[in-house]
C-alpha cells in the first residue's frame, strides 16, 4: 500500500539515528470527494523508557492544501479579469479600422473571385468583435437555461474530432448527472478551449477522455454545495511544463510556439461566472483539467448573486 512503505522507512531512520523525521505522504482515499489523501507524517524516537519504539504522528493536510490552491486560483482570477478586459480594449480599437478597410477594398476590387478574401477578413473581424463584446459585456452575466452537459460534451467531441481526425475521443459519462442551469454558449467555449489544449498536447493524435461525475457535499470556492458536477477533460500528452504550471490561468501565458495564452484564462473566467472553478493535475501521460460546477436551482442562483 503506498504510504505504508515510506512510513516504515521513516521509522527505521528515526530508530537508527535517534532523531525525528518528517515527510509528506500521498495515499489512496476511500472518500467520494478526493481520490488521494495528503498526509504530513512525523516520526520521532520514543523516550528511553521504551527503546526501539517510535511515535508516528499523521496529520491530514488534504483540505488545507485544497483551500490554498483555491485561494491562489481566486487571486489569479482578479488579475486575470483585469488583463482580459485591457486586452479586449486593445483588440477592439484596431478591429473597426480593419473591417472598414476590408469593405473599402472590396468595393475597389473588380475581380469578384477576390471578394472571398475580403469576406474572410470581415467575417473574422466580426467573430473577434463578438468575442470582445462578450469579454467587455455588462459583467458578462450568463444567460442560464437548463442544459444537458453530455449534449454539450458530444458537440465538443464532434468539433475536436473533426479538427483532429487522428485523435481518439473516449467518453465516461455519469448518467445520474442532472441538467444544469448554464449559459450554453459560454460553457461550450470553455470546454472547447480545454479540449483543444488537450488535443494539441498530444499532437492531435493521442487520446482525449471526457468524463462526468457528481459529488455530494463538496466545497468549492470556500462554499459548501450539496451537489457539484465534476467534468474532466483528460489527455495522455506529456503534461503541463513546470515553468508555467503556477501561472497557466494568467492571460498571455503560453508554452506553445503559436499559442496566444488566452484559452485557459477565458475558460476560467466563463466557468467562474457560473460559480464554478477549473483546476488541473498533470504528469507525463495523464493531464486532467477538471471543471467543477455547483448544481443550483434558480432560487439558489438568485441568492448567490444577491450575496
Ligand atoms: N492539456 C494540456 N497539456 C499540456 N499543457 C497544457 C495543456 N493545456 C494547457 N497547457 C499549457 O498551457 C498553456 C496555456 O494554455 P492556453 O489555452 O491558455 O493558451 P494556448 O493554448 O497557448 O493559446 P490559445 O490562446 O490559442 O489557447 C499552453 O500553451 C500549454 O503550454
Ligand atoms: Mg489553448
Amino acid at each position: 500500500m503506498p504510504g505504508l512503505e515510506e512510513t516504515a522507512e521513516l521509522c527505521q531512520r528515526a530508530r537508527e539515528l535517534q532523531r525525528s523525521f518528517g515527510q509528506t505522504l500521498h495515499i489512496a482515499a476511500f472518500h467520494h470527494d478526493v481520490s488521494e489523501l495528503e498526509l504530513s507524517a512525523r516520526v520521532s524516537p520514543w523516550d528511553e523508557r521504551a527503546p526501539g519504539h517510535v511515535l508516528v504522528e499523521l496529520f491530514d493536510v488534504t483540505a488545507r492544501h485544497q483551500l490554498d490552491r483555491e485561494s491562489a486560483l481566486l487571486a489569479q482570477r482578479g488579475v486575470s479579469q483585469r488583463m482580459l478586459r485591457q486586452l479586449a480594449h486593445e483588440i477592439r480599437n484596431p478591429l473597426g479600422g480593419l473591417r472598414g478597410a476590408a469593405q473599402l477594398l472590396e468595393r475597389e476590387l473588380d475581380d469578384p473571385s477576390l471578394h472571398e478574401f475580403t469576406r474572410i477578413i470581415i467575417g473574422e473581424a466580426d467573430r473577434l468583435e463578438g468575442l470582445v463584446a462578450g469579454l467587455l459585456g455588462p459583467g458578462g452575466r450568463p444567460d442560464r437555461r437548463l442544459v444537458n452537459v453530455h449534449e454539450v460534451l458530444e458537440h465538443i467531441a464532434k468539433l475536436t474530432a473533426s479538427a483532429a481526425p487522428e485523435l481518439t475521443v473516449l467518453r465516461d459519462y455519469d448518467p445520474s448527472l442532472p441538467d444544469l442551469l448554464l449559459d450554453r454558449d459560454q460553457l461550450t467555449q470553455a470546454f472547447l478551449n480545454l479540449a483543444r489544449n488537450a488535443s494539441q498536447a498530444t499532437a492531435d493524435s493521442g487520446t482525449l477522455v471526457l468524463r462526468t461525475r457528481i459529488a455530494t457535499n463538496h466545497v468549492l470556492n470556500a462554499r459548501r454545495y450539496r451537489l457539484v458536477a465534476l467534468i474532466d477533460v483528460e489527455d495522455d500528452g506529456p503534461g503541463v511544463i513546470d515553468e508555467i504550471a503556477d501561472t497557466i490561468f494568467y492571460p498571455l501565458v503560453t508554452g506553445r510556439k503559436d499559442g496566444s495564452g488566452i484559452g485557459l484564462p477565458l475558460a476560467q473566467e466563463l466557468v467562474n461566472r457560473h460559480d464554478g472553478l477549473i483546476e488541473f493535475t498533470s504528469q507525463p501521460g495523464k493531464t486532467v483539467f477538471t471543471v467543477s460546477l455547483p448544481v443550483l436551482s434558480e432560487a439558489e442562483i438568485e441568492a448567490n448573486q444577491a450575496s
Side-chain angles (χ1 to χ4, degrees), residues 32-164:
H32 50 250
D33 267 9
V34 287
S35 57
E36 190 182 73
L37 282 180
E38 191 171 341
L39 299 178
S40 167
R42 179 136 214 97
V43 181
S44 325
W46 205 263
D47 63 22
E48 58 283 357
R49 280 169 296 166
H53 286 64
V54 289
L55 173 69
V56 180
E57 294 167 285
L58 296 172
F59 300 97
D60 180 0
V61 290
T62 321
R64 203 184 73 207
H65 281 186
Q66 170 73 10
L67 277 179
D68 287 350
R69 268 197 302 275
E70 284 191 355
S71 41
L73 284 176
L74 277 178
Q76 283 190 12
R77 183 188 171 189
V79 180
S80 219
Q81 248 176 335
R82 279 198 299 282
M83 284 177 80
L84 275 181
R85 284 182 160 261
Q86 223 170 333
L87 203 67
H89 277 295
E90 295 294 331
I91 295 171
R92 181 173 253 178
N93 290 340
L95 215 51
L98 194 74
R99 192 184 196 285
Q103 273 176 320
L104 282 178
L105 190 65
E106 192 169 272
R107 267 183 242 147
E108 296 299 318
L109 287 175
D110 295 329
D111 180 355
S113 70
L114 294 175
H115 286 188
E116 185 193 334
F117 299 109
T118 47
R119 286 285 105 201
I120 291 177
I121 301 175
I122 294 168
E124 286 298 283
D126 287 345
R127 194 179 62 80
L128 273 179
E129 173 59 34
L131 186 68
V132 165
L135 289 175
L136 293 173
R141 195 164 269 192
D143 175 16
R144 296 196 192 228
R145 310 272 159 89
L146 266 185
V147 171
N148 179 329
V149 174
H150 296 144
E151 258 173 45
V152 174
L153 292 178
E154 281 308 294
H155 181 57
I156 301 297
K158 214 186 292 165
L159 286 179
T160 318
S162 65

Side-chain angles (χ1 to χ4, degrees), residues 2-57:
L4 212 61
E5 280 158 30
E6 285 105 315
T7 314
E9 222 178 279
L10 281 184
C11 293
Q12 185 73 18
R13 284 221 309 262
R15 241 185 248 119
E16 280 172 7
L17 301 170
Q18 282 299 299
R19 66 179 187 84
S20 302
F21 288 95
Q23 193 175 327
T24 304
L25 304 174
H26 293 97
I27 62 167
F30 302 99
H31 218 262
H32 50 250
D33 267 9
V34 287
S35 57
E36 190 182 73
L37 282 180
E38 191 171 341
L39 299 178
S40 167
R42 179 136 214 97
V43 181
S44 325
W46 205 263
D47 63 22
E48 58 283 357
R49 280 169 296 166
H53 286 64
V54 289
L55 173 69
V56 180
E57 294 167 285

Side-chain angles (χ1 to χ4, degrees), residues 218-241:
H218 194 85
V219 176
L220 184 64
N221 292 329
R223 267 179 124 124
R224 185 172 288 279
Y225 292 98
R226 205 171 52 79
L227 283 180
V228 171
L230 304 175
I231 302 128
D232 289 343
V233 178
E234 181 183 318
D235 68 74
D236 60 353
V240 175
I241 47 176

